[in-house]
C-alpha cells in the first residue's frame, strides 16, 4: 500500500478519541463494557480504509465491530468514513500491530476475526508475517471464544493456497471455501475497497471460513 504522509492525522485522530481509541490495551477485558452490552465482538485485523467494517456495523447493529490498522495514514481515512457514516455506536477503531492482540483482548473476549486482502508477503523469508501463519493463528485462538471463527478473503491465489494449508495444519475446520466468490455473490457480502477494485477487473476473489476445534 502506497502511503501519503498526512501531517494532520494525529491531531484529527485525537479529536475523535470516542471512535479511534488511543490506548486500546487499557480496554483489555473491558470491551463489552465499552460498548455497553454483551453482544458478540468481531474484529478486522488490517481494516484498511474501513469500508468493510463500517458496512458490517451498519448491517448488523446487534454485533460490535472493531477495526484494527497499523498505519496512521490509513486508519485516519477509515476514521473519516466512520464519521461520515454517523459514528455507529457498535463500531470502534484503533491503531495496532496484529502481534499485539493478546495485550489488547483477554481470553475469549472476541467471537470472530476478519482478514481481508492482507499483505501476501510473497517472499519465503517473510512467510511468518502472513496473517494466516501459525504464529498469528495462535494469537487469534488466544483471544477468541472456544470454537471462534476466522473469515478470510483475498485476491491472491498463492496466499489463499498457503492459508488453506496453514489453517488445516493447525487443526481448524474449513467451510464455505470459494475460489470465485463473486460467481455466486452472497447477498450478505460486504466488499472492501480492494475487493471492488479487483473484481471490477475480473479477478476472482477467494474466500474461506474456518473455526477453531477447541470447543
Amino acid at each position: 500500500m502506497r502511503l501519503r504522509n498526512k501531517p494532520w492525522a494525529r491531531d484529527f485522530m485525537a479529536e475523535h478519541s470516542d471512535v479511534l481509541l488511543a490506548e486500546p490495551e487499557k480496554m483489555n477485558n473491558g470491551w463489552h463494557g465499552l460498548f455497553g452490552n454483551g453482544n458478540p465482538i468481531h474484529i478486522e485485523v488490517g481494516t484498511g480504509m474501513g469500508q468493510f467494517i463500517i458496512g458490517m456495523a451498519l448491517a448488523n447493529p446487534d454485533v460490535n465491530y472493531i477495526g484494527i490498522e497499523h498505519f496512521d495514514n490509513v486508519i485516519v481515512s477509515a476514521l473519516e468514513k466512520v464519521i461520515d457514516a454517523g459514528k455507529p455506536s457498535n463500531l470502534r477503531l484503533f491503531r495496532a500491530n496484529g502481534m499485539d492482540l493478546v495485550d489488547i483482548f483477554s481470553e475469549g473476549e472476541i467471537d470472530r476475526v476478519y482478514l481481508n486482502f492482507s499483505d501476501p508477503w510473497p517472499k519465503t523469508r517473510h512467510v511468518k508475517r502472513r496473517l494466516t501463519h501459525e504464529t498469528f493463528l495462535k494469537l487469534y485462538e488466544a483471544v477468541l471464544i472456544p470454537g471462534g471463527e476466522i473469515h478470510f478473503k483475498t485476491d491472491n491465489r498463492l496466499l489463499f493456497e498457503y492459508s488453506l494449508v496453514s489453517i488445516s495444519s493447525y487443526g481448524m475446520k474449513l467451510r464455505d471455501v470459494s475460489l470465485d466468490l463473486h460467481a455466486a455473490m452472497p447477498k450478505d457480502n460486504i466488499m472492501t475497497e480492494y475487493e471492488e477494485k479487483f473484481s471490477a477487473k475480473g479477478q476472482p476473489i477467494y474466500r474461506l471460513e474456518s473455526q477453531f476445534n477447541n470447543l
Side-chain angles (χ1 to χ4, degrees):
M1 181 180 292
R2 189 175 182 179
L3 304 178
R4 293 182 178 180
N5 184 40
K6 299 177 181 178
W8 50 268
R10 287 292 178 94
D11 289 340
F12 183 73
M13 291 189 290
E15 292 171 3
H16 298 280
S17 58
D18 56 329
V19 175
L20 201 159
L21 308 181
E23 298 178 296
E25 64 278 1
K26 291 185 177 181
M27 295 308 305
N28 189 310
N29 202 32
W31 289 98
H32 284 103
L34 175 69
F35 285 109
N37 58 58
N39 293 340
I41 297 176
H42 296 182
I43 67 174
E44 183 185 18
V45 180
T47 204
M49 291 181 285
Q51 180 168 297
F52 174 83
I53 202 75
I54 295 168
M56 292 296 287
L58 294 173
N60 303 285
D62 294 331
V63 177
N64 298 318
Y65 291 92
I66 301 172
I68 304 166
E69 175 57 51
H70 184 58
F71 298 103
D72 284 352
N73 291 341
V74 178
I75 201 168
V76 72
S77 295
L79 175 59
E80 289 179 305
K81 289 185 178 181
V82 172
I83 294 169
D84 289 342
K87 293 187 176 181
S89 61
N90 62 330
L91 175 60
R92 297 293 188 278
L93 306 172
F94 64 76
R95 192 185 68 79
N97 189 296
M99 294 296 293
D100 300 329
L101 292 181
V102 294
D103 298 320
I104 295 170
F105 302 105
S106 63
E107 181 180 353
E109 199 165 17
I110 304 304
D111 294 79
R112 182 180 297 171
V113 173
Y114 291 101
L115 305 173
N116 293 316
F117 299 87
S118 310
D119 192 325
W121 293 106
K123 295 182 179 179
T124 302
R125 68 176 183 269
H126 293 152
V127 66
K128 290 185 177 180
R129 299 184 184 183
R130 296 172 188 169
L131 293 185
T132 50
H133 185 270
E134 178 185 6
T135 301
F136 285 99
L137 296 180
K138 288 180 179 178
L139 295 175
Y140 308 145
E141 185 177 23
V143 301
L144 280 164
I145 60 172
E149 299 178 350
I150 296 174
H151 291 195
F152 173 70
K153 286 196 287 190
T154 183
D155 68 302
N156 189 292
R157 178 68 179 251
L158 293 179
L159 177 61
F160 191 70
E161 292 174 351
Y162 167 84
S163 300
L164 286 172
V165 174
S166 178
I167 289 170
S168 297
S169 299
Y170 197 81
M172 298 180 68
K173 300 175 184 177
L174 285 167
R175 64 170 186 263
D176 292 337
V177 176
S178 175
L179 299 180
D180 191 353
L181 177 64
H182 291 191
M185 178 74 83
K187 292 182 179 179
D188 60 350
N189 183 57
I190 302 292
M191 289 199 287
T192 76
E193 291 89 351
Y194 278 133
E195 187 173 353
E196 288 184 342
K197 175 183 176 181
F198 294 138
S199 62
K201 293 180 179 180
Q203 294 177 231
I205 304 300
Y206 309 102
R207 183 182 184 274
L208 65 82
E209 296 180 7
S210 57
Q211 182 179 37
F212 285 100
N213 194 19
N214 57 359
L215 288 170

